[in-house]
Amino acid sequence: MLAKFLIFITTISAFILVSTIAIHELGHALVAQYYGCDQFKAVIYDIIAPHTEIRCDSAYNNVVLTLGGIAATLVIALVFILTGGQFTTGLSYLLFGFGLLISYGDLTDLGTSKNIIAVVLFLSLIIIILAIVKISVYYLKQKGIFKDGVKDGMKKL
């Protein structure tokens, strides 16, 4: 039972992490397209780190281009929070936490203070942990491990 649970949590987390990276890089590419850049390529799997290669002959705002990745993950997470059920809400928190974690490189490129970056990274880890707990509780309730009687028994203590 424990092994099955750990495989479930690990698989869901890995899937959301890769999806978050893809959404993040897609955000950069969409902003590049908005500014009329002719050549851009989102590289999800790379030896160094995921990144978006952009070659733009027209004028563009580098700050908006950099924040496009962060904004894309936040928008998708917000849509899931507003439209989803309990499980989808847990996934959206995980998406939001990974989105903040991935934004490290973008915040560094923007020249953000190391203290602010540290706070964002700490906040992202807290959100990821809370999301995993939320998904775990949902999973365990579905398996019948947590029942309403257990909650009532805990209240009496």
Side-chain angles (χ1 to χ4, degrees), residues 5-133:
F5 169 72
L6 291 175
I7 290 170
F8 172 77
I9 292 297
T10 304
T11 304
I12 288 292
S13 298
F15 176 76
I16 295 297
L17 176 62
V18 172
S19 299
T20 304
I21 293 169
I23 292 167
H24 180 94
E25 298 306 330
L26 177 66
H28 292 307
L30 289 174
V31 172
Q33 185 177 17
Y34 173 79
Y35 279 111
C37 299
D38 296 333
Q39 297 178 346
F40 50 88
K41 175 173 66 169
V43 180
I44 305 300
Y45 298 106
D46 192 21
I47 294 173
I48 300 169
H51 60 279
T52 303
E53 298 171 357
I54 299 170
R55 186 174 307 208
C56 197
D57 296 331
S58 62
Y60 65 93
N61 187 337
N62 195 32
V63 173
V64 174
L65 193 66
T66 303
L67 292 176
I70 299 169
T73 55
L74 295 180
V75 166
I76 298 295
L78 186 62
V79 167
F80 281 177
I81 287 173
L82 296 176
T83 61
Q86 184 179 1
F87 182 69
T88 310
T89 303
L91 293 179
S92 65
Y93 292 158
L94 198 56
L95 181 73
F96 180 66
F98 282 141
L100 288 177
L101 189 64
I102 292 168
S103 69
Y104 169 79
D106 293 338
L107 294 174
T108 303
D109 290 345
L110 290 174
T112 308
S113 162
K114 290 186 183 204
N115 293 332
I116 293 174
I117 293 173
V119 169
V120 168
L121 292 179
F122 181 72
L123 180 65
S124 71
L125 292 176
I126 297 296
I127 293 170
I128 290 168
I129 290 168
L130 292 175
I132 290 173
V133 167

